[in-house]
Amino acid sequence: MENTLVFAQSLDAQDPLRGFRDRFHIPQRNGNDLIYLCGNSLGLQPKTARAALDHELQTWQHLGVEGWFESLHETTPSWLSYHKRCQEPLAHIVGATPVEVCPMNALTVNLHLLMESFYQPQGTKTNILTIAGDFPSDQYALETHIRSRGLDPDTTLIEVAAREDGLIYTADIQEAIAAHADTLALVLMSGLNYYTGQVYDMQAIAQTAHKNGLLVGFDLAHAIGNVPLQLHDWGVDFATWCSYKYLNGGPGAVSGVFVHERHHTGSVPRLAGWWGYDEGKRFQMTKGFVPMQGAAGWQLSTPNILALSVHKAAIDITAEAGMAALRQKSEQLTSYLAFVLEPFANTIRVLTPTEPAQRGCQLSLLVKQNGKALFTYLTEQGIIGDWREPDCIRLAPTPLYNTFTDVWRVGEALRLFFVAQQ
């Protein structure tokens, strides 16, 4: 590698995914594109989103309630089966069969719904194993859900903590599963750490859980659209995610769920709503819940079609690019970012694992001194990352729309900042 603009531009010229950047609106300041490295928080807007949304607005305008059963165009289905349009691309992205996935609700809502189905404390097996310091929403969901079952989260939650380097190792998770198997009812954790950018070996964790007779679920908020997933083949029991980060579905975009086909039976306990009822008989309005086949049977309320239209436009782009190609470029981008950060090693420590296969798009930078001042300076230079107290700057070069030149400019901005500090 070379820390030069010419070298970065040569990498961009060779990038097979370079055309995908033109599919997104890049935020600007003073007529110049921002260097947007915050896809780990909110992805950018696909240029197809407006047309997709406008199509459903026109359907609503011209058909009203009949839009549930009719369509303005023969090539697009009615709203009644809109979720089915999303299942194929979602299945491609997470490594599942289409019937195992469904867009619905919001992430934490889905987390509660899935825990209702798959967390079944009995006798001495009441505990949940998770990781310490997981995203706050997950912590709150686990804490309150456990209390709703009449249990104490202080004694029910078993948390695997980070080592001195700030990372949580897959081997430590596996050892904890084996050590506590007699008291565990569920393993539930993030598949990729929001703070450190570390991706866990979900396949190994699932295998260890199943070997000990346990179910396992993952929050994939920071993993979906970021790292390759094979949820079906790995045997993961269930998962949920948000789609406003690497899937670029928009602020507060619709979530989704994965439920492995072995759990597609009506006997699985769940909190139900009428949209999860057997579609062929839904409008008979009869008593007694009969779920739709597959993950769609976990739906609750009438879906937000306007949100789903943008969701579909976005996931089509990710599915077209392909997770293998996205992953290859992602590893190159983070490796180049790590390279341009090397001259500042005395001041900036990269918390994220050095091995590309053990991280996603994000590098978390721990700044020993003047971290907030550095973050503010980068923002003023048009470099958009995010700040996490007390001393962490998260930068996420995203392969769909970021370039190697973006990464080089980060290094150049850092150089100028530290020169000015001398």
Side-chain angles (χ1 to χ4, degrees):
M1 294 186 183
E2 297 176 16
N3 191 358
T4 66
L5 177 58
V6 172
F7 180 76
Q9 291 173 334
S10 72
L11 293 178
D12 288 329
Q14 301 168 40
D15 175 18
L17 296 178
R18 61 186 179 276
F20 281 90
R21 177 179 171 87
D22 294 333
R23 308 248 195 124
F24 293 87
H25 292 291
I26 309 298
Q28 293 192 332
R29 182 186 299 163
N30 299 323
N32 297 314
D33 289 346
L34 294 176
I35 298 174
Y36 191 83
L37 302 177
C38 207
N40 57 336
S41 186
L42 177 64
L44 295 183
Q45 182 186 132
K47 292 180 179 178
T48 52
R50 189 179 301 274
L53 178 58
D54 188 59
H55 175 81
E56 303 313 330
L57 289 172
Q58 290 184 43
T59 300
W60 181 18
Q61 175 184 343
H62 295 289
L63 297 180
V65 71
E66 293 304 316
W68 290 108
F69 310 101
E70 300 179 14
S71 176
L72 289 178
H73 304 291
E74 294 182 358
T75 56
T76 56
S78 67
W79 296 335
L80 191 66
S81 58
Y82 209 105
H83 72 277
K84 295 179 181 177
R85 300 180 61 194
C86 300
Q87 287 178 304
E88 189 70 39
L90 280 175
H92 175 82
I93 293 167
V94 303
T97 63
V99 74
E100 292 177 317
V101 296
C102 189
M104 64 179 79
N105 308 319
L107 187 155
T108 309
V109 172
N110 288 332
L111 199 58
H112 280 292
L113 293 175
L114 292 167
M115 288 179 67
E116 183 67 25
S117 294
F118 297 107
Y119 174 51
Q120 299 297 321
Q122 294 180 352
T124 60
K125 296 178 72 65
T126 60
N127 293 342
I128 299 176
L129 186 137
T130 189
I131 56 174
D134 213 342
F135 191 76
S137 188
D138 293 52
Q139 296 183 49
Y140 306 152
L142 286 167
E143 172 191 339
T144 57
H145 196 100
I146 288 169
R147 283 205 175 99
S148 76
R149 304 292 190 96
L151 299 169
D152 182 357
D154 290 337
T155 56
T156 302
L157 274 179
I158 297 175
E159 298 181 311
V160 182
R163 297 187 188 180
E164 291 184 0
D165 61 3
L167 301 177
I168 300 173
Y169 286 77
T170 295
D172 294 346
I173 297 170
Q174 292 176 291
E175 289 178 7
I177 292 172
H180 297 279
D182 291 343
T183 67
L184 289 176
L186 180 67
V187 176
L188 179 57
M189 55 177 282
S190 290
L192 195 151
N193 193 290
Y194 86 98
Y195 186 79
T196 67
Q198 175 187 11
V199 61
Y200 301 110
D201 189 337
M202 288 172 268
Q203 181 179 16
I205 293 168
Q207 289 175 344
T208 302
H210 292 156
K211 181 180 179 181
N212 287 276
L214 302 170
L215 298 178
V216 59
F218 290 103
D219 172 353
L220 302 175
H222 287 264
I224 190 168
N226 182 1
V227 296
L229 301 167
Q230 294 296 329
L231 299 183
H232 177 89
D233 290 345
W234 294 345
V236 173
D237 293 289
F238 65 93
T240 185
W241 53 81
C242 61
S243 62
Y244 47 81
K245 302 180 189 299
Y246 298 104
L247 290 188
N248 309 296
V254 66
S255 176
V257 301
F258 163 87
V259 178
H260 199 281
E261 64 181 9
R262 63 175 167 270
H263 300 299
H264 293 182
T265 67
S267 61
V268 176
R270 70 189 80 190
L271 296 176
W274 92 301
W275 212 259
Y277 193 91
D278 180 12
E279 186 176 310
K281 301 178 181 178
R282 183 181 298 152
F283 287 90
Q284 293 179 9
M285 309 293 190
T286 56
K287 292 181 66 176
F289 180 70
V290 180
M292 290 183 65
Q293 179 66 18
W298 271 262
Q299 294 179 101
L300 293 181
S301 304
T302 306
N304 185 330
I305 297 300
L306 302 182
L308 275 178
S309 68
V310 177
H311 177 66
K312 174 63 165 56
I315 60 178
D316 280 348
I317 297 175
T318 299
E320 180 186 343
M323 288 309 304
L326 289 171
R327 180 57 170 166
Q328 182 178 17
K329 181 181 176 182
S330 174
E331 291 187 356
Q332 293 172 333
L333 282 168
T334 54
S335 294
Y336 193 49
L337 178 56
F339 174 73
V340 302
L341 289 170
E342 286 179 2
F344 317 109
N346 290 334
T347 306
I348 298 174
R349 180 171 80 87
V350 179
L351 174 61
T352 312
T354 57
E355 174 59 43
Q358 295 181 19
R359 65 191 184 211
C361 295
Q362 169 187 318
L363 292 189
S364 298
L365 317 183
L366 300 184
V367 186
K368 298 176 182 178
Q369 295 180 343
N370 299 321
K372 195 60 179 289
L374 175 57
F375 176 75
T376 300
Y377 170 80
L378 292 175
T379 303
E380 291 171 349
Q381 300 305 307
I383 299 171
I384 309 301
D386 73 357
W387 173 257
R388 286 290 182 268
E389 296 290 350
D391 57 359
C392 182
I393 299 174
R394 301 189 308 167
L395 300 177
T398 304
L400 275 174
Y401 48 75
N402 282 126
T403 67
F404 293 93
T405 300
D406 288 342
V407 171
W408 178 82
R409 294 194 186 282
V410 172
E412 184 66 5
L414 290 172
R415 184 184 67 80
L416 295 174
F417 175 83
F418 288 116
V419 166
Q421 299 297 304
Q422 295 176 353

